Amino acid sequence: MPPEELIGRVASSVESDAQAIQDFFVRMLKINAVNPRMGGPGERERADFLEGFLKDNGLEVTRVDVKDSEAPGGSRPSISAKLNGKDGRRNLWYVSHMDTVPEGSRDLWKTDPFEPTIKEGKIFARGAEDNGQSLVSSLFALLTLKKLDLHLPFNVGVWFVADEEFASNFGIKELLKRRLFRPSDLVVVPDSGSPRGTDIEIAEKGLLWMKVTTRGKQVHASLPKKGLNAHRVGMRLALALDEQLNGTYRNRNKLFDYPVSSFEPTKKEANVGNVNTVPGLDVFYFDCRVLPTYSLDDVEGDVRKTIKQFEKKYHASIKFEEVEKEPAGPATKKDSEVAVLLERAVSRVAGVKPRFVGIGGQTVGNLFRKEGIPTAVWSTVDDVPHEPNEYSKIANLINDTKVFAAVPLLY
Ligand SMILES: [Zn+2]
């Protein structure tokens, strides 16, 4: 069957199921799945619900429960199901996450965040965009392929994982450790996107959060020579690092909207409570987002060198700490199978001209890339995750379902 015809069959099948897809989405969003590290009940009830639904639809379910003594029930579930294709050694995986962040201040919500409300073609609820829409789209893409009984070139499956909103320790990181994904797999992470569905993300920057603590000697401000003003040393150091890093790491990469690495002094801890005291302690932070061509170790090495020089010059003791360090995996190639197939599906089904992009934030896509697994990040969203009145557009829910179903048919 020619691809146009296949896509047509997929599209009309999804259209005729549109109400059922929407109803299922609403049922799922009613189940609170706030990450337990953020005070919520976790993924268990939502996972049970999804597992039951997959089984009711005749799919075999793989369930991985990772021990977590701090979570209700003592473990964190991730679940998966797939359809078999011609090449049974390769898998196309859609990987989305079940957990959400908390609703935040209820006053800011116009509706109950756990009572999904439909208004003007949008479904409002916590987790509607992040990551509920894509979870449901990929699930129904799978069910559409099953129902139409189409020839698949390789296995096609979904993973619904735990713990993305905290650190993925009980989700993707554990699944990767257990070797449930292979470098020959094609992975789509639909957990970031653009309002028209044009952006296919294939690269992310490395992330480094630095904390720098300067210790001097606290004295009365009328006798500054008796002490050592840690605030002054800290300010000078922060400015020196700002110039040094932004001046050294200047490569550009047009794939990224912000095409250079960024090194931003951000958080500053409060020091003394009164104006007439010379501070003996100064703490500042930098947020660094580094193009994948550079090594975070090199950045850190440069910072440590400058700190050493400042210690000598000012006779202060200065401590460097990594608060967070997540190197970038290699960018997924534009001509990798997953990128090419997704590009085809987006242009033919969604009818937009896709472009490849890199982002400064990080998704679990980076964790796959670090394991050498080509990964594309895509969805059609208005980009309102974690906000009050978070929503998903029903048109996007349905269109993305068609796109996900079309990807393996365009091989
Ligand atoms: Zn997410």
Side-chain angles (χ1 to χ4, degrees):
M1 205 183 295
E4 279 67 31
E5 206 173 309
L6 287 172
I7 289 174
R9 285 187 64 193
V10 162
S12 56
S13 173
V14 172
E15 284 299 339
S16 66
D17 289 339
Q19 189 61 45
I21 297 172
Q22 181 185 319
D23 294 346
F24 179 84
F25 190 19
V26 167
R27 278 168 69 202
M28 188 192 78
L29 288 171
K30 285 184 184 193
I31 305 168
N32 180 328
V34 172
N35 192 298
R37 288 293 184 285
M38 301 170 169
E43 304 87 357
R44 177 169 303 269
E45 196 189 339
R46 190 172 279 193
D48 292 345
F49 170 73
L50 291 166
E51 183 178 356
F53 185 75
L54 287 165
K55 284 181 174 163
D56 288 348
N57 279 279
L59 285 153
E60 227 175 274
V61 174
T62 301
R63 178 164 173 144
V64 178
D65 281 283
V66 180
K67 202 168 163 276
D68 178 7
S69 49
E70 284 180 43
S75 70
R76 307 287 293 279
S78 290
I79 59 175
S80 167
K82 69 175 178 186
L83 300 173
N84 292 324
K86 188 160 172 250
D87 182 352
R89 293 161 306 173
R90 303 185 70 200
N91 307 287
L92 163 64
W93 292 119
Y94 291 103
V95 182
S96 56
H97 62 89
M98 294 183 284
D99 61 318
T100 75
V101 295
E103 68 275 29
S105 169
R106 287 252 179 177
D107 302 347
L108 300 174
W109 283 81
K110 295 194 185 106
T111 58
D112 184 333
F114 299 105
E115 197 50 64
T117 307
I118 299 173
K119 234 179 5 188
E120 290 158 3
K122 298 171 181 166
I123 301 181
F124 292 84
R126 172 51 85 227
E129 175 179 306
D130 184 14
N131 196 199
Q133 177 188 305
S134 291
L135 189 158
V136 172
S137 286
S138 60
L139 165 58
F140 278 88
L142 193 70
L143 294 180
T144 302
L145 292 171
K146 184 172 192 295
K147 188 166 80 177
L148 297 179
D149 199 19
L150 299 171
H151 271 283
L152 301 173
F154 31 64
N155 305 332
V156 178
V158 291
W159 271 100
F160 307 141
V161 306
D163 203 29
E164 192 275 341
E165 294 294 358
F166 192 71
S168 289
N169 288 327
F170 302 98
I172 285 298
K173 284 182 185 164
E174 183 61 31
L175 301 177
L176 284 165
K177 254 187 233 158
R178 296 187 189 194
R179 305 230 164 270
L180 291 162
F181 302 94
R182 300 184 202 138
S184 58
D185 287 346
L186 295 77
V187 174
V188 175
V189 174
D191 193 19
S192 173
S194 53
R196 289 179 57 242
T198 47
D199 296 3
I200 300 175
E201 186 253 277
I202 51 169
E204 296 176 14
K205 289 179 182 172
L207 179 85
L208 176 64
W209 286 353
M210 317 188 288
K211 176 183 183 185
V212 179
T213 306
T214 303
R215 279 171 208 285
K217 191 177 174 217
Q218 180 175 317
V219 290
H220 194 281
S222 63
L223 297 165
K225 288 276 184 276
K226 274 181 71 183
L228 175 61
N229 192 330
H231 183 39
R232 178 182 287 121
V233 179
M235 284 193 293
R236 286 188 172 156
L237 177 56
L239 285 175
L241 292 176
D242 185 14
E243 266 178 44
Q244 177 189 15
L245 297 173
N246 283 302
T248 308
Y249 297 92
R250 297 176 60 167
N251 274 358
R252 299 178 79 81
N253 183 338
K254 279 195 298 193
L255 200 56
F256 292 83
D257 265 341
Y258 191 79
V260 288
S261 305
S262 60
F263 303 90
E264 288 297 304
T266 50
K267 184 171 164 181
K268 178 82 183 72
E269 282 183 15
N271 49 23
V272 290
N274 46 310
V275 181
N276 58 352
T277 299
V278 167
L281 182 72
D282 180 87
V283 184
F284 67 81
Y285 297 77
F286 264 70
D287 172 298
C288 312
R289 296 176 191 249
V290 184
L291 288 177
T293 40
Y294 291 123
S295 133
L296 295 183
D297 291 337
D298 289 348
V299 172
E300 204 180 303
D302 284 355
V303 171
R304 286 183 190 277
K305 247 185 244 161
T306 302
I307 286 178
K308 278 249 148 52
Q309 290 164 4
F310 267 69
E311 280 190 311
K312 250 198 192 147
K313 185 168 174 191
Y314 293 99
H315 308 289
S317 123
I318 307 175
K319 192 165 122 194
F320 172 91
E321 288 165 90
E322 281 170 3
V323 179
E324 185 86 55
K325 187 179 187 183
E326 194 61 63
T332 295
K333 293 195 169 69
K334 287 179 191 174
D335 60 358
S336 64
E337 277 179 334
V338 67
V340 169
L341 292 177
L342 193 57
E343 187 187 25
R344 270 183 210 156
V346 171
S347 60
R348 293 198 196 179
V349 180
V352 296
K353 192 173 163 19
R355 57 170 196 155
F356 291 109
V357 300
I359 61 170
Q362 286 190 337
T363 70
V364 298
N366 189 50
L367 299 173
F368 285 101
R369 293 187 189 122
K370 276 167 64 182
E371 298 291 324
I373 303 169
T375 302
V377 176
W378 178 86
S379 62
T380 313
V381 289
D382 279 357
D383 215 9
V384 290
H386 303 202
E387 291 183 15
N389 308 305
E390 177 182 356
Y391 64 86
S392 154
K393 278 188 180 153
I394 294 163
N396 293 340
L397 172 77
I398 301 304
N399 270 321
D400 285 11
T401 304
K402 294 178 197 168
V403 171
F404 293 147
V407 170
L409 305 177
L410 295 168
Y411 183 67

